[in-house]
Amino acid sequence: MEDVDVAIVGGGPAGSSAAEAAAARGADTVVLEKGVPRADRAGPGPDSTDAAGLLDYWLDIMDYAPDEIPEDIVLSELDGAKFYGPSSELAMTETGIDASYDGFGFTFHRAKFDDWLRGRAEAAGADYRVGVSVTGVDTTLSASPRHTVELADGEDIQTDYVVLADGPQRTITGPTLDQFLLDRTMGEIMPSNEANHIAYQEHRRMPEELFDPDFIEFWWGMMPGHTAYPWIFPNDDHVARIGLTMPIGLDIDDFETSEWALLRPDDEGIPRGTQYIERLLERQFPGYDLDDFPVVEDRGKAKGTETYPISSTRPIESPAGAGIAVVGGAMGATSAFHEGGDHVAVRTGKIAGRLAAEESLENYNREWHAAIGDEILRNVTFADLVRDWGPRDWDRAFETANSLMDRRGIKADAALRGGVHGIQLVAQYKWGKFGYRDGRYVQLREAEYAI
């Protein structure tokens, strides 16, 4: 039986950030990462991926200075974002939030980003182990160490502090937290087949005249499902990540196919991700064939494609008083509304690792609320606002938003200039934020754990 100060389950952005923060403060830290192979990585590593873009203020949330990000990670620096409805569009060239980064944001190479974070953790002294499968965490609060991290090879680890960073599937997080829940289980609170979205993307080379390296693009109201949308993220060498996110388990019988631009009357089920992408390209770029957008097979996870889950739920607090912190996607802090959320994963990991090393993890929930609460509040409120929107709602919203917004966001007299609909949108958003004030956006409080 091995003893360590801090054990971290999962080696993605949240886990690696926790490891660096803990090891840098002298804690004996181990990261346990089962590891998966990727075509764009030399060896196995974390199975954590998303559309791989960062907005300006997200760097501040991560607590990184712009010049700390290695140049070889950045693929395309962005001037803005374009949003399309079925017959409308909206462009933004500023996020409207003060930031230290001089620009709108950038797209980046996700595997290199993950491996850079791992390198920082190892340089700080963390023991990052790949190919190690965790089967469970057994806790006895009256013992010391309190936790036994059980491994598939039988070589268990004892520790007083556990950071759960196993992503939105919550394979280990669920049963670990069940030890402290009396009336509910994590499978009921955050079932992975309901509390997540599925995302799919392809790396495709675009015709030079169509490739726009300066803007990320999103299409709303084109496919059914809560916060379901396709996107194009420019990378380098005229290659873009073209993908989509949608809820898991949609039934096409629940939707009128004629209302949605990317559905067909003869669809017998919800289209597969690759079908959606092909239909988007055909609709957006008439006059071009799909052969003009070849898949670049030496990029991405496997043959130019990637499939991954994204949290689509309100976050939870951790049983921090028991020496357990849940971070990133595992806690629901990442969001389908902003393409995952490396920024909140990194920041929650940093907070958890630092506090574990300082033996003050009981402060974790208070500190993460202070650090990322505004971001969570925005995402949860927006996601609720658009939950039942259809194509016409999105068109109307973008048309109204063009009168509500300037480059930096909502104008002081926006509601009046946007007419009745503008007043309704602003009022609904502000009322939604008010309802979730003081951390009410969480769906499981620390006080609900039996500790």
Side-chain angles (χ1 to χ4, degrees):
M1 187 81 72
E2 180 181 2
D3 287 0
V4 299
D5 296 326
V6 182
I8 300 166
V9 181
S16 290
S17 298
E20 180 189 2
R25 288 163 177 80
D28 182 11
T29 305
V30 61
V31 180
L32 306 167
E33 166 57 48
K34 64 181 180 181
V36 297
R38 289 180 62 101
D40 55 4
R41 177 186 286 132
D47 186 19
S48 52
T49 186
D50 57 29
L54 289 173
L55 301 182
D56 53 3
Y57 74 96
W58 288 5
L59 286 170
D60 297 310
I61 287 180
M62 289 196 300
D63 196 25
Y64 279 129
D67 59 5
E68 288 186 82
I69 307 299
E71 291 183 1
D72 68 329
I73 289 176
V74 178
L75 296 175
S76 184
E77 296 188 358
L78 302 170
D79 290 337
K82 295 179 180 178
F83 303 88
Y84 303 94
S87 59
S88 61
E89 63 180 82
L90 172 71
M92 294 182 62
T93 55
E94 294 190 32
T95 61
I97 298 175
D98 291 336
S100 58
Y101 179 79
D102 185 18
F104 186 84
F106 56 86
T107 60
F108 62 92
H109 192 294
R110 179 54 196 267
K112 288 183 179 179
F113 178 76
D114 286 357
D115 294 345
W116 170 64
L117 292 175
R118 171 184 174 175
R120 290 178 63 101
E122 291 179 323
D127 181 3
Y128 191 111
R129 303 177 187 176
V130 181
V132 180
S133 293
V134 176
T135 59
V137 177
D138 184 58
T139 299
T140 305
L141 295 180
S142 60
S144 182
R146 294 175 285 188
H147 311 291
T148 300
V149 181
E150 300 165 342
L151 307 182
D153 62 7
E155 298 294 327
D156 297 345
I157 294 174
Q158 289 185 324
T159 183
D160 269 329
Y161 296 101
V162 173
V163 177
L164 297 171
D166 55 338
Q169 292 180 308
R170 308 176 184 94
T171 306
I172 304 303
T173 291
T176 299
L177 299 189
D178 282 347
Q179 298 176 96
F180 308 102
L181 297 172
L182 300 179
D183 301 323
R184 297 184 290 170
T185 68
M186 285 300 297
E188 295 169 333
I189 298 169
M190 301 173 79
S192 60
N193 61 344
E194 295 178 16
N196 290 335
H197 277 44
I198 194 70
Y200 172 79
Q201 66 184 354
E202 298 174 349
H203 295 250
R204 288 180 177 260
R205 179 164 283 108
M206 300 182 67
E208 183 176 354
E209 66 273 17
L210 299 181
F211 181 76
D212 186 350
D214 300 325
F215 283 83
I216 50 176
E217 299 178 286
F218 303 90
W219 284 261
W220 289 92
M222 310 287 282
M223 52 189 290
H226 175 226
T227 59
Y229 55 98
W231 69 76
I232 293 181
F233 274 45
N235 285 178
D236 60 332
D237 194 26
H238 304 120
V239 175
R241 294 177 185 235
I242 306 177
L244 57 104
T245 182
M246 61 181 174
I248 296 171
L250 294 179
D251 187 340
I252 198 167
D253 292 335
D254 294 334
F255 306 98
E256 177 56 57
T257 57
S258 62
E259 293 183 0
W260 303 91
L262 298 185
L263 293 184
R264 302 288 184 267
D266 58 349
D267 282 336
E268 296 182 355
I270 295 295
R272 293 177 292 110
T274 188
Q275 289 177 297
Y276 268 137
I277 290 174
E278 290 174 355
R279 292 176 184 182
L280 174 71
L281 293 174
E282 290 169 348
R283 182 184 189 277
Q284 189 66 21
F285 306 111
Y288 291 83
D289 296 326
L290 290 174
D291 290 342
D292 296 322
F293 304 87
V295 175
V296 183
E297 295 194 353
D298 62 352
R299 297 201 182 199
K301 182 177 176 181
K303 296 184 177 180
T305 69
E306 294 167 326
T307 303
Y308 51 95
I310 303 178
S311 296
S312 57
T313 186
R314 290 157 50 202
I316 62 170
E317 292 182 349
S318 297
I324 296 175
V326 191
V327 297
M331 68 181 286
T334 63
S335 167
F337 205 79
H338 56 37
E339 283 316 309
D342 297 315
H343 56 309
V344 293
V346 166
R347 188 60 177 273
T348 54
K350 284 186 173 183
I351 294 169
R354 171 175 56 81
L355 293 175
E358 295 171 351
E359 299 185 356
S360 57
L361 196 63
E362 65 274 7
N363 296 315
Y364 173 63
N365 293 311
R366 177 180 58 80
E367 290 211 18
W368 78 250
H369 277 290
I372 67 168
D374 288 345
E375 177 76 347
I376 299 296
L377 179 58
R378 280 189 292 267
N379 289 322
V380 170
T381 303
F382 270 124
D384 282 355
L385 179 65
V386 305
R387 181 170 296 276
D388 297 319
W389 282 13
R392 286 186 293 273
D393 299 305
W394 282 106
D395 270 337
R396 191 180 183 196
F398 288 144
E399 290 163 1
T400 302
N402 275 308
S403 60
L404 291 182
M405 301 176 72
D406 61 15
R407 295 189 312 160
R408 288 191 57 80
I410 297 176
K411 303 172 184 176
D413 59 350
L416 294 177
R417 292 230 278 267
V420 173
H421 191 238
I423 294 172
Q424 290 174 336
L425 284 178
V426 174
Q428 288 172 1
Y429 175 69
K430 290 186 175 180
W431 181 250
K433 288 184 70 174
F434 180 77
Y436 284 129
R437 68 193 184 281
D438 300 327
R440 295 176 189 176
Y441 45 74
V442 301
Q443 60 176 320
L444 179 62
R445 290 283 194 180
E446 183 173 14
E448 298 180 65
Y449 295 106
I451 301 175

